[in-house]
Amino acid sequence: MKKHLIAPSVLAADFARLPEEIDMVNRSEADWFHLDVMDGRFVPNITFGMFIVEAISRLAKKPLDVHLMIVEPEKYVESFRKAGAEVITVHAETCTHLHRTVHQIKESGAKAGVALNPHTPVSILEDLIEDIDLVCLMSVNPGFGGQKFIYQSLPKTRKLKEMILTANAQTLIEIDGGVGLHNAESLLQAGADVLVAGNSVFAAKDPVGTISQLKAFDARFDF
Ligand code: DX5
Ligand code: ZN
């Protein structure tokens, strides 16, 4: 059975100590760096763009999982790929031609992710699921770290897992928002493959130890 992945969200890091925070993730059992790009239009917050992603790529020793919370993401796919993104995730809500954008990401050489807001049903991905490398289920409303996990994300994860199994697809399920030691195991049992963890890691007394604990849970989903 494949082990699940842990992707600490750099949004929760102390940006005045960014090299040390990145080094902490490098030294830990984490698998990816999750980087949240926000434009102040799709979401009510602004973070950073490709220049910071590129700077992080020079310090990071693990793949960069870039979550684009921006309108018209198709304009920037190649720039983020050039900046070092291994996974590029766009929001379904921002893509009129989602099939085209997913294939554009794959042609850039990155893995293609599609994120869904809490109110967006997984069924909209039914005719595209085999082409998607990763579905990111937002378990909070995107825009901010440190929010409370929306509990409906758990049955939603099961529903998506069923869709992936029925299609015999290899798509990974990533859960983003409010994930920590209190809900990691239930999410893995529901079918999650990648856990994004911001505040639960960076605000912990022992971030490296917390990552190890998140990594140690059993990934076997229970149906
Ligand atoms: C929210 C971001 C998340 C966020 C997660 O819009 O997409 O990646 O950083 O942070 P926590 O784990 O603190 O909810
Ligand atoms: Zn994110």
Side-chain angles (χ1 to χ4, degrees), residues 77-166:
V77 166
E78 286 74 23
S79 312
F80 281 105
R81 174 63 181 154
K82 238 186 236 151
E86 292 269 338
V87 183
I88 298 178
T89 298
V90 294
H91 267 263
E93 299 85 3
T94 63
C95 296
T96 309
H97 302 287
L98 184 58
H99 180 278
R100 179 182 288 154
T101 307
V102 161
H103 285 276
Q104 180 192 356
I105 296 170
K106 291 176 126 177
E107 272 155 36
S108 80
K111 298 226 176 304
V114 176
L116 300 180
N117 276 343
H119 76 278
T120 305
V122 296
S123 57
I124 65 153
L125 298 180
E126 218 168 292
D127 297 321
L128 189 57
I129 195 72
E130 286 158 81
D131 296 357
I132 303 173
D133 295 304
L134 172 145
V135 175
C136 173
L137 292 184
M138 291 309 302
S139 38
V140 297
N141 284 295
F144 304 93
Q147 301 181 80
K148 194 169 167 276
F149 179 82
I150 296 172
Y151 80 92
Q152 288 94 333
S153 311
L154 208 54
K156 193 173 180 178
T157 303
R158 278 191 211 107
K159 214 186 258 181
L160 176 60
K161 184 71 184 179
E162 263 170 24
M163 186 198 290
I164 292 167
L165 289 175
T166 305

Side-chain angles (χ1 to χ4, degrees), residues 9 34-36 67 69 136 138 176 196:
S9 172
H34 184 84
L35 304 182
D36 290 305
H67 178 190
M69 284 160 275
C136 173
M138 291 309 302
D176 187 7
V196 174

